Amino acid sequence: MAGPGGGSSDVQWCFSQVKGAIDDDVAEADIISTVEFNHTGELLATGDKGGRVVIFQQEPESKNQPQCRGEYNVYSTFQSHEPEFDYLKSLEIEEKINKIRWLPQKNAAQFLLSTNDKTIKLWKISERDKRPEGYNLKEEDGRYRDPNTVTTLRVPIFRPMDLMVEASPRRVFANAHTYHINSIAVNSDYETYLSADDLRINLWHLEITDRSFNIVDIKPANMEELTEVITAAEFHPNQCNTFVYSSSKGTIRMCDMRASALCDKHAKMFEEPEDPNNRSFFSEIISSISDVKFSHSGRYMMTRDYLSVKIWDLNMETRPVETYQVHEYLRSKLCSLYENDCIFDKFECCWNGNDSVVMTGSYNNFFRMFDRGYRQDVTLEASRENSKPRSVLKPRKVSTGGKRKKDEISVDSLDFNKKILHTAWHPLDNIIAVATTNNLYIFQEKLN
Amino acid sequence: MLYSKTARAVAVAASKGVACSELMTYFYKSLCHHLDTIYDEDEVLLALAEQLGNFTMLVGGPEYVHCLLPPLESLATVEETVVRDKAVESLRKISQEHSPVDLEVHFEPLVKRLASGDWFTSRTSACGLFSVCYPRVSSTVKAEIRQHFRTLCSDDTPMVRRAAASKLGEFAKVLELDYVKSDIISLFTALASDEQDSVRLLAVEACVSIATLLPQEDLETLVMPTLRQAAEDKSWRVRYMVADKFSELQKAVGPEITKNDLVPAFQNLLKDCEAEVRAAAANKVKEFCENLPEDNREQIIMTHILPCVKELVSDTNQHVKSALASVIMGLSTILGKDNTIEHLLPLFLAQLKDECPEVRLNIISNLDCVNEVIGIRQLSQSLLPAIVELAEDAKWRVRLAIIEYMPLLAGQLGVEFFDEKLNTLCMAWLIDHVYAIREAATCNLMKLVEKFGAEWAQNTIVPKVLGMANDPNYLHRMTTLFCINALSEACGQEITTKQMLPVVLKMSNDQVANVRFNVAKSLQKIGPVLDSNALQTEVKPVLEKLATDTDMDVKYFAQEAISVLALA
């Protein structure tokens, strides 16, 4: 599993690679919208606002460079979704990829689900390294031969060719969501998956595209009574019948698909009572949960709201067992963050392979790691300045008081346009992928 | 398509020995290559998998049939399920062509390789092949096969366990009874307690097969505990499967166990907290009751089943009520006249007044069972308002459904009742807003005429139909023509010539072109019913006039009618 200790106290992170354009002029289509490792960590997929998916593959470890694990290089790039137009409502449907989820490997090919606001697609990525030659009816360049010139029959043979990686859409799951899809999650039964939009969650079978079952519907009969929307949903890693969904009001509901066909009634509801001292006009907005992730063990789940990361024990609904402040210094700035819309940013969070450390992003291209065992946290920065190969990342600090030490940065100097919303942790090793607006940084644990 | 047909052609054209090895090598490599290729190649692979199943004679007969194994083995590992399934089907087919020696030398090693494959796709395919090679191999090999199957039943991935569970029954059928008891039962129990719902529910299906194989006295110890557990499973999907397979289970376990175990289990399913399960059980009420042992059938139904059924009539979920309505009438033949009148009739009447149209329709569609036992008159008081309400329902599909039952009802209720109460309804449908209803209503009239006869038609419906020819709405005038098309044959030559023809001919002067060209079509339709005199003196002139009409479609259909009727 993870390296020595596994905790951030032992681990020093160093720069490994950065992908994407260097210039500051960011093309909108290149904005990264999702990052996901596959189950072995060999492949890393990113989705962007232009509807493209780029997959990187880790090179096998080489004997020449024992200090670092293999580098990630582009394996396949393809256009997953195109912009569409909903004629009935006169609305554009963005091609931005909201989520990518890898399927467990079934054979030599790889499969992933990618979704935009309305449509989910199953993609197959496969390799080809041989091609047939010696057809009877076709020339080598593809032209058809005159059948009258064919006097003998031969059996074609295979010759090696340069490796080609092909991506093909195998299934398209469309027309099941009225609102924008925010999450997809694959079930441990390897047969079904769910897709969630603002008000509904649907259950699909991977083989069946013309039908899905609605399992959660929180749309009120009168839309004027709408107070809460679904923000994220996730299946339990081991229990095929359990899933959770989080809401804009800071609650997480756990549902059991065994109990009934329609899971409107939750089996458990996780909610922390509000701290009366911290009450403000913005309380409800910042309590909205932007991401929910189960731990690999299936015992805990992590939620991310605007200012904090919370770890919940699935057996206790009344409050989280751990709370980590991501950027508490922003609490006094909520008004201006509301005005520039940053208060609505949806940060994701992730666990490391053995559930001992959690990571999430912040502003100014900072990202934070919290070691649950050692109760330590660190702030690191993803920037081009720190991008010398194998250079160790220096911990960063934001100064909140009047006195600013050297190397610290004051809250007012933070660049709120540089946000890290998407991060991913390799399932087995200490390798992390961090997405700034249009660049993907890969950091690795320093190995001696 | 072209690809596999070419392959077949090549195999036929080339000489036997050469074709086999070279061609099969090509296929094998081609598949390794093509397997992960672009887009619609799946259809090619599917066709190939199917064709290879029929290739035995083409490769030289049963001695060479094992040449077909390598490409099929490849196909059995593809991720596309339909291709894999077809490959397995073909492998099963050609396994029959293998001699027992070939089975041991070629086929069983293939199965072994698939069963130990890295990818779960090959392991799922292996599950479908055990039962076809088991019967004819030696006992050492049989032991190997049993071992492989056991391993797959506890595979890490749910997909493989699902495949194993779905083939459990089939495999059990080819095993010796001792092994069924020693091996299969423990595998069955394990799969029925799997942590994945999707695996447990497949074990329920296997239960039926296994129960049929075992002697009665072993069922109680070997099968019943697992079945009881399934009927009370925490997952509604497993309980649903039990309900769905209930009749098969009943037959498999026999009357004694049915009385002691299945009756209470069925009651619980009828009262289940999940509506899907209640609906599945409700669907089986009639079948379950029919298959109860005759000696205490009535007592069991009256004491145990009927109270639950009464509850279901007022269930909160419409699908449950609808499922019940489709079978409940069948109980009357089982329970006999007195019980039907006292206990079932109130239930029928309650469902006839249900707020959900589907429930009412399901009752009406099954009236013939009741008619046999107590006669429909008992119901007719309540039946009429129910029919009228359905006939005027806002949803056109509901109106359509009731029209389709009308001929049946008319037959059962008799002509006087029909004339008195239902005639106006049938005429009203002819001028419904929705075309599908008008069309169905026309067809309905035709069936009624077939039932009640031409004279009845002449007296009751023909005048009304012909009266519509003067309606200000052209759609209604056209309906007259469509009715005439439908009724002329049933009504006969006299009515058609004397009453219908004049109306049709008059409409040839209609202002609306659609009406005029339908006149031409009508004349073409009713022409064969008329005598040649009428055709020549009355029909021909009108068609000739229409053939010079200003409207293109009128001209076209008039000319077509002239040529079909051979009036030129």
Side-chain angles (χ1 to χ4, degrees):
Chain A
M1 277 282 201
S8 60
S9 60
D10 289 308
V11 174
Q12 285 195 298
W13 292 94
C14 36
F15 173 87
S16 174
Q17 298 165 270
V18 61
K19 308 283 186 193
I22 301 177
D23 43 69
D24 284 326
D25 230 357
V26 177
E28 184 129 344
D30 293 336
I31 296 176
I32 298 174
S33 51
T34 184
V35 182
E36 188 86 2
F37 278 100
N38 78 336
H39 296 281
T40 58
E42 188 202 345
L43 298 173
L44 176 60
T46 61
D48 65 24
K49 206 159 176 221
R52 285 166 307 199
V53 171
V54 181
I55 301 177
F56 302 93
Q57 183 186 43
Q58 190 179 28
E59 298 302 317
E61 286 175 30
S62 68
K63 298 207 181 83
N64 301 337
Q65 293 186 319
Q67 300 97 305
C68 63
R69 299 189 179 88
E71 282 201 339
Y72 283 85
N73 295 320
V74 176
Y75 179 66
S76 173
T77 308
F78 57 93
Q79 186 76 31
S80 170
H81 287 72
E82 297 277 0
E84 282 172 55
F85 193 76
D86 181 341
Y87 300 103
L88 203 57
K89 295 184 190 151
S90 288
L91 288 174
E92 275 185 5
I93 301 174
E94 270 186 23
E95 67 275 32
K96 172 167 74 87
I97 308 293
N98 293 335
K99 276 287 184 313
I100 290 175
R101 286 281 184 264
W102 290 92
L103 293 187
Q105 195 165 7
K106 350 186 174 188
N107 61 6
Q110 302 282 350
F111 289 83
L112 58 78
L113 287 168
S114 70
T115 185
N116 68 350
D117 286 336
K118 294 287 186 182
T119 307
I120 306 141
K121 294 188 185 179
L122 177 67
W123 286 89
K124 174 180 168 181
I125 298 107
S126 52
E127 294 182 4
R128 204 205 295 220
D129 60 0
K130 285 197 266 290
R131 64 152 195 258
E133 280 177 18
Y135 282 113
N136 289 294
L137 297 173
K138 270 202 297 200
E139 300 285 5
E140 293 309 326
D141 57 14
R143 277 179 303 151
Y144 283 96
R145 290 166 77 178
D146 179 0
N148 298 324
T149 62
V150 179
T151 47
T152 53
L153 276 175
R154 58 184 174 175
V155 179
I157 49 173
F158 279 90
R159 293 216 188 283
M161 62 181 246
D162 288 335
L163 181 66
M164 208 164 78
V165 180
E166 296 169 322
S168 58
R170 302 308 261 170
R171 305 264 191 276
V172 178
F173 304 91
N175 294 328
H177 286 277
T178 314
Y179 306 99
H180 291 344
I181 298 175
N182 52 51
S183 314
I184 47 175
V186 185
N187 195 326
S188 56
D189 69 2
Y190 296 175
E191 203 176 42
T192 55
Y193 75 94
L194 63 75
S195 57
D197 66 25
D198 293 330
L199 294 175
R200 299 192 177 102
I201 301 180
N202 292 334
L203 184 70
W204 301 83
H205 191 289
L206 283 165
E207 307 264 330
I208 299 171
T209 56
D210 61 356
R211 234 176 310 163
S212 76
F213 288 102
N214 174 250
I215 50 176
V216 173
D217 187 340
I218 64 168
K219 184 172 178 204
N222 182 359
M223 278 299 265
E224 284 170 28
E225 289 165 25
L226 182 67
T227 53
E228 198 174 5
V229 293
I230 297 171
T231 51
E234 184 88 12
F235 263 122
H236 192 280
N238 313 315
Q239 295 168 11
C240 60
N241 56 310
T242 308
F243 69 93
V244 294
Y245 66 94
S246 59
S247 81
S248 52
K249 275 190 162 172
T251 63
I252 308 104
R253 289 176 179 78
M254 176 182 280
C255 300
D256 182 349
M257 294 200 297
R258 285 181 195 170
S260 60
L262 190 59
C263 300
D264 280 354
K265 270 202 304 238
H266 54 261
K268 288 191 182 175
M269 179 149 105
F270 298 82
E271 188 175 13
E272 184 172 24
E274 208 189 334
D275 180 0
N277 296 331
N278 272 332
R279 228 191 166 291
S280 76
F281 176 70
F282 305 105
S283 289
E284 193 174 305
I285 301 177
I286 61 168
S287 71
S288 173
I289 293 174
S290 50
D291 194 17
V292 63
K293 291 260 173 38
F294 279 103
S295 66
H296 291 94
S297 63
R299 171 89 195 275
Y300 298 96
M301 72 176 169
M302 165 167 55
T303 58
R304 174 74 158 97
D305 51 74
Y306 190 64
L307 295 179
S308 65
V309 162
K310 293 179 183 168
I311 312 280
W312 304 77
D313 183 322
L314 295 183
N315 296 320
M316 186 160 78
E317 300 165 65
T318 48
R319 60 187 154 76
V321 289
E322 292 153 37
T323 305
Y324 302 103
Q325 302 303 335
V326 181
H327 34 219
E328 182 69 11
Y329 45 78
L330 295 181
R331 196 181 285 275
S332 51
K333 310 274 178 208
L334 292 178
C335 196
S336 46
L337 290 167
Y338 178 83
E339 268 154 37
N340 61 16
D341 275 350
C342 283
I343 204 174
F344 299 109
D345 285 335
K346 296 196 184 340
F347 292 94
E348 289 174 13
C349 52
C350 57
W351 298 85
N352 75 340
N354 62 8
D355 300 335
S356 57
V357 185
V358 298
M359 170 169 68
T360 189
S362 178
Y363 294 105
N364 209 66
N365 280 351
F366 287 171
F367 58 99
R368 306 262 283 136
M369 285 188 194
F370 303 95
D371 187 316
R372 302 173 61 211
Y374 289 97
R375 293 279 163 178
Q376 286 175 353
D377 60 89
V378 67
T379 306
L380 301 171
E381 184 180 356
S383 79
R384 292 270 175 184
E385 279 94 60
N386 302 333
S387 52
K388 276 212 303 280
R390 289 189 295 288
S391 64
V392 176
L393 291 180
K394 231 175 45 149
R396 307 284 289 147
K397 203 148 157 54
V398 175
S399 81
T400 47
K403 256 174 129 188
R404 186 175 75 87
K405 295 195 194 127
K406 199 178 82 143
D407 282 350
E408 286 187 3
I409 181 167
S410 74
V411 181
D412 299 311
S413 314
L414 292 173
D415 187 344
F416 290 94
N417 290 321
K418 292 191 178 163
K419 39 194 118 179
I420 291 179
L421 302 174
H422 310 287
T423 55
W425 203 309
H426 190 289
L428 305 168
D429 295 332
N430 275 344
I431 303 174
I432 55 177
V434 171
T436 58
T437 312
N438 65 332
N439 286 143
L440 182 71
Y441 287 79
I442 298 175
F443 301 107
Q444 288 187 13
E445 179 184 12
K446 184 169 184 339
L447 296 174
N448 297 315
Chain B
M1 267 308 132
L2 201 58
Y3 181 86
S4 56
K5 291 211 173 104
T6 313
R8 200 177 174 80
V10 170
V12 171
S15 67
K16 287 180 185 172
V18 173
C20 184
S21 53
E22 242 188 88
L23 201 57
M24 287 308 128
T25 315
Y26 171 65
F27 276 158
Y28 178 57
K29 287 213 175 123
S30 165
L31 285 166
C32 292
H33 160 256
H34 268 125
L35 282 181
D36 301 327
T37 304
I38 19 171
Y39 311 78
D40 300 321
E41 296 281 341
D42 276 344
E43 290 176 17
V44 176
L45 293 179
L46 184 63
L48 195 59
E50 189 174 10
Q51 291 288 322
L52 284 172
N54 301 324
F55 255 40
T56 315
M57 289 326 287
L58 294 174
V59 292
E63 314 152 55
Y64 294 101
V65 70
H66 59 89
C67 291
L68 296 171
L69 295 180
L72 281 171
E73 186 176 345
S74 273
L75 285 166
T77 64
V78 186
E79 85 276 349
E80 199 53 56
T81 317
V82 285
V83 178
R84 229 172 37 236
D85 288 347
K86 190 56 89 173
V88 170
E89 200 185 299
S90 290
L91 280 167
R92 286 159 70 107
K93 218 195 278 187
I94 63 171
S95 73
Q96 307 305 316
E97 313 275 355
H98 283 66
S99 65
V101 172
D102 277 341
L103 273 182
E104 289 199 17
V105 173
H106 298 285
F107 198 88
E108 197 264 345
L110 176 152
V111 180
K112 242 188 345 202
R113 282 193 299 274
L114 287 176
S116 353
D118 282 333
W119 306 123
F120 73 74
T121 43
S122 62
R123 301 200 299 278
T124 50
S125 295
C127 292
L129 298 173
F130 292 119
S131 57
V132 293
C133 62
Y134 188 87
R136 292 188 292 142
V137 295
S138 68
S139 51
T140 353
V141 180
K142 279 189 184 183
E144 275 179 31
I145 294 178
R146 286 196 308 273
Q147 178 56 42
H148 279 293
F149 191 77
R150 258 201 299 277
T151 317
L152 292 181
C153 283
S154 42
D155 193 282
D156 282 334
T157 57
M159 298 72 99
V160 178
R161 299 201 302 276
R162 277 197 291 272
S166 59
K167 296 293 177 208
L168 188 64
E170 180 190 273
F171 190 51
K173 285 202 182 102
V174 302
L175 285 184
E176 298 82 357
L177 187 60
D178 286 335
Y179 289 120
V180 174
K181 288 193 201 179
S182 62
D183 286 25
I184 296 292
I185 294 298
S186 55
L187 294 174
F188 166 62
T189 326
L191 290 169
S193 336
D194 195 285
E195 54 170 15
Q196 290 281 339
D197 296 353
S198 48
V199 177
R200 291 200 311 281
L201 59 88
L202 287 170
V204 174
E205 265 191 80
C207 189
V208 178
S209 310
I210 295 173
T212 343
L213 292 170
L214 293 173
Q216 194 69 27
E217 57 269 14
D218 288 323
L219 286 179
E220 185 54 51
T221 38
L222 298 179
V223 172
M224 287 317 293
T226 316
L227 185 54
R228 273 182 218 118
Q229 189 189 313
E232 289 167 9
D233 195 290
K234 287 214 165 56
S235 172
W236 67 268
R237 285 165 69 193
V238 177
R239 300 196 304 271
Y240 177 95
M241 276 305 262
V242 174
D244 196 51
K245 301 282 169 211
F246 218 78
S247 302
E248 288 102 323
L249 287 167
Q250 189 185 12
K251 287 194 188 94
V253 303
E256 217 29 59
I257 299 184
T258 300
K259 206 169 49 166
N260 298 329
D261 271 280
L262 292 193
V263 171
F266 194 61
Q267 281 177 289
N268 286 333
L269 291 171
L270 288 171
K271 289 190 262 188
D272 197 280
C273 56
E274 172 57 45
E276 301 269 354
V277 179
R278 293 198 303 277
N283 255 322
K284 300 288 175 188
V285 163
K286 174 172 162 228
E287 234 181 300
F288 181 69
C289 292
E290 265 172 358
N291 291 323
L292 287 169
E294 256 189 68
D295 44 350
N296 30 23
R297 179 189 302 168
E298 193 177 309
Q299 183 257 334
I300 294 179
I301 300 176
M302 297 305 296
T303 333
H304 298 280
I305 309 295
L306 204 53
C308 301
V309 167
K310 283 194 177 132
E311 290 291 316
L312 288 179
V313 167
S314 37
D315 196 286
T316 42
N317 183 299
Q318 64 167 31
H319 299 293
V320 177
K321 287 189 291 188
S322 184
L324 184 69
S326 61
V327 299
I328 195 176
M329 313 288 270
L331 290 177
S332 50
T333 26
I334 305 173
L335 291 177
K337 185 164 174 182
D338 295 326
N339 278 328
T340 302
I341 296 181
E342 194 185 331
H343 296 276
L344 292 179
L345 194 56
L347 301 179
F348 302 159
L349 294 174
Q351 292 214 296
L352 211 48
K353 295 196 192 86
D354 196 283
E355 58 183 2
C356 168
E358 215 183 281
V359 177
R360 290 177 264 148
L361 279 171
N362 281 340
I363 291 287
I364 291 179
S365 60
N366 288 311
L367 284 174
D368 45 341
C369 317
V370 177
N371 201 23
E372 270 173 48
V373 179
I374 63 171
I376 222 171
R377 287 277 156 190
Q378 299 266 8
L379 285 174
S380 59
Q381 292 278 44
S382 311
L383 207 54
L384 191 57
I387 295 175
V388 170
E389 210 177 315
L390 286 167
E392 295 169 357
D393 195 288
K395 297 201 196 72
W396 69 268
R397 283 181 223 268
V398 177
R399 300 201 297 280
L400 189 65
I402 194 70
I403 296 179
E404 274 155 21
Y405 291 128
M406 198 46 60
L408 173 72
L409 283 172
Q412 288 172 355
L413 293 167
V415 69
E416 287 112 29
F417 185 90
F418 179 84
D419 279 341
E420 219 181 311
K421 317 272 186 187
L422 297 175
N423 203 335
T424 10
L425 222 51
C426 291
M427 298 310 298
W429 281 325
L430 288 173
I431 51 173
D432 192 285
H433 294 302
V434 175
Y435 175 74
I437 301 293
R438 294 198 299 275
E439 191 186 24
T442 311
C443 182
N444 175 44
L445 281 187
M446 180 176 77
K447 292 199 188 124
L448 290 173
V449 173
E450 281 167 11
K451 235 189 228 315
F452 293 149
E455 200 183 312
W456 169 84
Q458 187 174 20
N459 295 332
T460 50
I461 59 172
V462 170
K464 293 193 190 140
V465 166
L466 298 179
M468 279 195 311
N470 299 318
D471 196 295
N473 185 333
Y474 85 97
L475 290 169
H476 299 169
R477 298 202 294 279
M478 291 209 308
T479 305
T480 303
L481 290 172
F482 299 145
C483 285
I484 291 175
N485 292 349
L487 296 176
S488 62
E489 211 177 300
C491 285
Q493 197 182 74
E494 197 175 318
I495 299 176
T496 309
T497 321
K498 290 229 176 77
Q499 300 186 8
M500 295 181 174
L501 185 60
V503 173
V504 177
L505 297 173
K506 182 149 173 263
M507 283 204 267
S508 67
N509 294 321
D510 198 288
Q511 278 186 320
V512 178
N514 299 54
V515 179
R516 295 200 303 278
F517 80 63
N518 272 299
V519 164
K521 288 170 99 173
S522 273
L523 289 173
Q524 180 179 327
K525 183 83 174 42
I526 69 176
V529 181
L530 302 169
D531 64 46
S532 57
N533 184 35
L535 279 173
Q536 288 294 330
T537 54
E538 297 180 72
V539 174
K540 184 169 166 182
V542 170
L543 281 177
E544 280 171 346
K545 183 189 72 182
L546 289 177
T548 58
D549 195 286
T550 44
D551 185 284
M552 264 203 345
D553 293 313
V554 178
K555 270 202 287 227
Y556 172 81
F557 285 111
Q559 280 158 1
E560 169 117 345
I562 290 174
S563 86
V564 167
L565 294 174
L567 291 175

